[in-house]
């Protein structure tokens, strides 16, 4: 690293040290106004953001896949900033951020806070979807209420300088991580962009101008050497990374012989706190039941979406489907799954190393099926070593495990396999017919409670948990630096709930109007984030426009586009 780069890092950290003093003197009302400015700037530069994203991901500006960029880019930052601003307003007024949110007892002595829907617009736009944040066991509602607010409960007690090492796959991750450091952890931030996202630097500078001008944020580009120099800088107090466990361990322990020595001695090379969101191998449990032909097709498209959104370059992309070997409809479902994978739009492999990872999976599993550039691995089992259960391919590769049993036996086995045999704890999905859920009763709810994942989605995708600003996002608690799995800590969590355990998302088994015809009270059609949705780009762009300035007049156009999907 050159002396010029070293000097630039020193100057950035020194400026942030001064900015921390100013941050400690910034009251809640002023901090809230900064969020409102960031919201307005995101609205004003959303199109520029999307154009940069399209260049990075090699998509044309008329690509139907740009819907993914609208919703996982500007939309996520707009809703995140707005929700955080609401929490600060509550604190300004002497309230808890969770006041007014329904709470209920959850299994295991936990408390569940209903964070979605929040208000009439949520209930209309995603009718039939719900999300709860669950506390850790033994935490009652009053404790949740009293502790919500985190660093903003004592705004003058700042946390120093933090470094955020940004992700290269989903472009709202780094901006939202910055906001969490500033507001939840109450520290100023140096954001080091992933080199993939360097073309977004100009638009991020415009969006975060109010923070940059006041010395609360610095945006930095460069390779791994710059990131290493930043995290080890003596003026930096804490680090947050979104990436792979391999990158995390290289930062914490070093590389090669040095890393082995540090691990053995229990002496990390990084002697400062680090939080992380590191992905893993996410499962989808498909509970057997009596499904119609339309159900089989829809849920196959659902599972294909869970794998193929952003071409599989998601830390929460489903990589293993767990299905019942005794399900009479198993072969029909697998046939629909192959067809859904084949129908999904083709897209460039923009993420470095993708083709190599696909090739490695096909070498490991010679019997794997190539469906265009995608790979489906059937015939896996948990009773022998399966590389696909422990290797995050971060590419369009999906495996299938079969387990025996009727719905109750199968679900119990599936939970044990997911908890014990599959790498990572970021998210797990369950797809189950409403009648099956009803028949299982408490056994189903116990299975949800027993799953050790930071987000669990029932008849929905855990990606919706990422998009829900007030939900928590991160690994299941309990990992250590020596066994990091999917990471330590959470982000998003706009209600600033102290130490949440998980988010639980629930959605309708069928889209409207079939949902209504079968007794599900949901008006939502096929979700616009489905990779097979014909109008997803239009719907999600309009949803982003709505998030800029919510109002009832915008709803008809959103509904019209969604229904055509």
């Amino acid at each position: 690293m050159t002396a010029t780069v070293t000097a630039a890092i020193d100057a950035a950290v020194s400026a942030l040290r001064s900015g921390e003093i100013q941050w400690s003197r910034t009251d809640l009302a002023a901090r809230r106004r900064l969020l409102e400015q960031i919201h307005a700037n995101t609205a004003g530069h959303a199109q520029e953001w999307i154009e940069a994203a399209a260049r990075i991901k090699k998509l044309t500006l008329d690509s139907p896949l740009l819907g993914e960029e609208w919703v996982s880019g500007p939309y996520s930052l707009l809703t995140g900033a707005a929700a955080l601003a609401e929490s600060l307003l509550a604190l300004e007024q002497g309230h808890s951020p969770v006041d007014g949110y329904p709470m209920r007892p959850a299994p295991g002595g936990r408390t569940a806070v209903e964070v979605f829907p929040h208000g009439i617009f949520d209930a209309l736009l995603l009718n039939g979807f719900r999300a709860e944040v669950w506390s850790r066991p033994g935490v009652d509602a009053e404790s949740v209420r009293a502790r919500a607010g985190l660093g903003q409960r004592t705004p003058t007690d700042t946390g120093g300088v933090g470094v955020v090492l940004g992700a290269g796959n989903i472009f709202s991750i780094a901006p939202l991580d910055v906001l969490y450091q500033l507001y939840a952890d109450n520290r100023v931030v140096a954001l080091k962009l992933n080199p993939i996202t360097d073309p977004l630097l100009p638009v991020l500078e415009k969006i975060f101008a109010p923070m940059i001008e006041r010395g609360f944020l610095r945006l930095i580009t460069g390779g791994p050497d710059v990131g290493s120099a930043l995290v080890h800088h003596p003026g930096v107090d804490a680090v947050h990374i979104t990436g792979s466990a391999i990158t995390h361990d290289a930062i914490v322990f070093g590389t090669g012989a040095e890393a082995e020595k540090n691990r053995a001695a229990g002496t990390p090379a990084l002697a400062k706190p680090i939080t992380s969101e590191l992905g893993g191998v996410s499962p989808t449990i498909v509970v057997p039941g009596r499904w119609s032909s339309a159900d089989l097709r829809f849920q196959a498209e659902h599972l294909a979406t869970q794998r193929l959104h952003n071409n599989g370059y998601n830390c929460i992309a489903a990589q293993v489907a767990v299905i019942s070997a005794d399900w009479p409809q198993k072969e029909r479902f697998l046939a629909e799954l192959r067809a859904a994978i084949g129908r999904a739009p083709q897209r460039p492999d923009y993420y470095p190393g993708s083709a190599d990872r696909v090739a490695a999976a096909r070498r490991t599993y010679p019997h794997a099926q190539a469906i265009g550039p995608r790979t489906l691995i059937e015939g896996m089992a948990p009773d022998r070593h399966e590389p696909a259960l422990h290797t995050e391919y971060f590419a369009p590769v999906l495996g299938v495990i079969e387990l025996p049993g009727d719905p109750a036996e199968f679900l119990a086995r599936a939970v044990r396999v997911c908890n014990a045999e599959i790498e990572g704890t970021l998210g797990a999905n369950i797809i189950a017919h409403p009648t099956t859920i009803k028949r299982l009763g408490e056994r189903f709810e116990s299975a949800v409670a027993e799953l050790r994942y930071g987000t669990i989605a029932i008849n929905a995708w855990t990606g919706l948990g990422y998009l829900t600003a007030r939900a928590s996002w991160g690994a299941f608690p309990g990992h250590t630096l020596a066994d990091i799995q999917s990471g330590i800590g959470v982000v998003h969590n706009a209600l600033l709930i102290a130490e949440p355990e998980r988010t639980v998302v629930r959605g309708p088994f069928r889209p409207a109007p079939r949902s209504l015809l079968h007794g599900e009270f949901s008006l939502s059609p096929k979700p616009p984030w489905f990779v097979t949705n014909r109008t997803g780009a239009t719907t999600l762009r309009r949803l982003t426009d709505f998030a800029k300035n919510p109002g009832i007049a915008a709803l008809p156009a959103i509904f019209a586009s969604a229904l055509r999907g």
Side-chain angles (χ1 to χ4, degrees):
M1 191 167 60
T2 67
T4 302
V5 173
T6 300
I9 291 174
D10 287 342
V13 173
S14 177
L16 288 168
R17 278 291 175 197
S18 299
E20 183 192 5
I21 297 171
Q22 186 62 33
W23 184 242
S24 71
R25 296 171 179 170
T26 304
D27 63 20
L28 291 175
R31 294 179 181 205
R32 174 175 53 81
R33 287 192 293 272
L34 283 168
L35 287 166
E36 291 166 352
Q37 287 178 279
I38 288 169
H39 184 280
N41 290 349
T42 304
H45 297 286
Q47 183 63 40
E48 183 181 348
W49 179 326
I50 295 303
E51 290 171 2
R55 290 194 298 273
I56 295 168
K57 297 191 177 182
K58 303 176 182 177
L59 299 173
T60 61
L61 290 178
D62 61 353
S63 170
L65 295 168
L66 277 186
E68 297 178 357
E69 300 311 310
W70 282 106
V71 75
S72 67
Y75 172 84
S76 294
L77 185 53
L78 286 164
T79 55
L84 268 175
E86 283 188 17
S87 291
L88 262 69
L89 180 60
L91 291 167
E92 285 176 59
Q93 296 174 342
H95 304 304
S96 170
V98 300
D99 284 350
Y101 288 79
M103 296 192 199
R104 68 173 182 91
R110 299 170 173 91
T111 296
V113 183
E114 186 178 282
V115 298
F116 189 94
H118 177 61
I120 187 62
F121 289 141
D122 282 353
L124 289 172
L125 288 167
L126 284 175
N127 188 261
F129 288 87
R130 294 190 296 123
E132 295 177 325
V133 174
W134 288 15
S135 73
R136 301 190 188 194
V139 179
D140 61 18
E142 190 51 44
S143 296
V144 171
R145 184 174 290 107
R147 298 181 63 197
L150 297 177
Q152 299 311 295
R153 299 191 70 86
T154 54
T156 59
D157 185 14
T158 52
V161 175
V163 166
V164 168
L165 299 177
N169 58 330
I170 296 295
F171 298 156
S172 62
I173 291 178
L176 290 170
D177 289 352
V178 164
L179 292 185
Y180 203 72
Q181 290 283 307
L182 280 159
Y183 288 90
D185 296 321
N186 203 28
R187 60 173 64 103
V188 294
V189 185
L191 167 60
K192 193 274 181 185
L193 294 175
N194 185 300
I196 294 173
T197 66
D198 282 355
L200 281 167
L201 177 63
V203 69
L204 292 178
E205 287 176 330
K206 295 170 186 174
I207 288 171
F208 283 99
M211 294 287 191
I212 296 169
E213 291 164 2
R214 290 164 176 80
F216 306 151
L217 173 65
R218 286 293 181 270
L219 304 182
I220 297 170
T221 60
D225 56 335
V226 174
S228 179
L230 262 175
V231 300
H232 292 285
H233 194 285
V236 166
D237 299 285
V239 177
H240 177 79
I241 175 176
T242 299
S244 71
I246 293 172
T247 302
H248 171 275
D249 288 353
I251 291 169
V252 172
F253 293 105
T255 57
E258 175 199 7
E260 294 303 316
K261 179 181 176 182
N262 288 334
R263 277 184 177 277
T267 55
L270 184 71
K272 59 189 70 173
I274 180 170
T275 54
S276 49
E277 191 265 80
L278 305 174
V281 176
S282 294
T284 295
I285 300 170
V286 182
V287 184
R290 284 189 66 183
W291 296 10
S292 70
S293 296
D295 295 337
L296 290 165
R297 181 183 177 94
F298 176 78
Q299 293 299 347
E301 292 184 358
H302 193 181
L303 179 53
T305 292
Q306 293 173 8
R307 176 71 259 184
L308 297 178
H309 182 280
N310 199 33
N311 209 34
Y313 311 138
N314 285 340
C315 51
I316 201 61
Q319 185 169 301
V320 176
V322 186
I323 68 173
S324 171
D326 300 324
W327 186 21
Q329 294 179 298
K330 176 190 72 176
E331 293 302 332
R332 288 183 63 194
F333 178 73
L334 289 174
E336 289 286 4
L337 178 61
R338 296 180 203 110
I341 292 172
R343 287 195 302 272
Q346 303 292 311
R347 61 185 303 155
D349 291 338
Y350 80 89
Y351 205 88
S354 174
D356 292 339
R357 292 189 294 276
V358 171
R362 291 180 179 179
R363 286 194 301 271
T364 302
Y365 295 96
H367 65 281
Q369 302 168 61
I371 306 175
R374 291 78 182 253
T375 300
L376 181 65
I377 308 166
E378 297 182 40
M380 299 194 321
D383 58 354
R384 64 180 187 269
H385 180 70
E386 290 281 7
L389 303 188
H390 305 282
T391 304
E392 184 184 13
Y393 287 120
F394 217 67
V397 177
L398 176 64
V400 178
I401 286 177
E402 296 185 19
L403 301 175
D406 62 23
E409 296 166 340
F410 165 80
L411 182 57
R413 284 193 177 98
V415 169
R416 289 195 295 270
V417 166
C418 290
N419 284 343
E421 304 293 338
I422 296 178
E423 193 82 10
T425 66
L426 186 62
N429 311 283
I430 304 174
I431 298 174
H433 193 287
T435 300
T436 304
I437 294 174
K438 184 176 180 180
R439 286 174 178 167
L440 289 172
E442 286 302 315
R443 289 175 293 180
F444 185 85
E445 296 306 318
S446 295
V448 173
E450 289 167 14
L451 277 169
R452 296 195 295 270
Y453 286 84
T455 298
I456 298 167
I458 302 158
N459 291 333
W461 177 36
T462 46
L464 185 58
Y466 175 93
L467 295 176
T468 303
R470 295 172 180 87
S472 60
W473 184 253
F476 194 80
H479 300 314
T480 65
L481 292 181
D483 182 22
I484 196 62
Q485 295 276 325
S486 292
I488 296 171
V490 301
V491 290
H492 300 192
N493 186 29
L495 295 180
L496 301 174
I497 295 170
E499 297 186 286
E501 182 188 64
R502 71 180 82 185
T503 287
V504 179
V505 180
R506 299 174 193 260
F509 180 72
R510 306 174 182 91
R514 286 199 304 115
S515 55
L516 297 171
L517 296 174
H518 291 84
E520 285 186 280
F521 297 103
S522 169
L523 299 176
S524 292
K526 177 191 286 188
W529 54 84
F530 267 40
V531 292
T532 51
N533 190 301
R534 294 171 296 177
T535 61
T538 299
T539 303
L540 294 172
R541 177 179 56 77
R542 290 177 179 174
L543 186 64
T544 304
D545 288 341
F546 175 85
K548 297 175 185 178
N549 186 24
I552 197 165
L555 296 181
I558 297 173
F559 294 153
S561 178
L563 288 168
R564 289 195 302 270

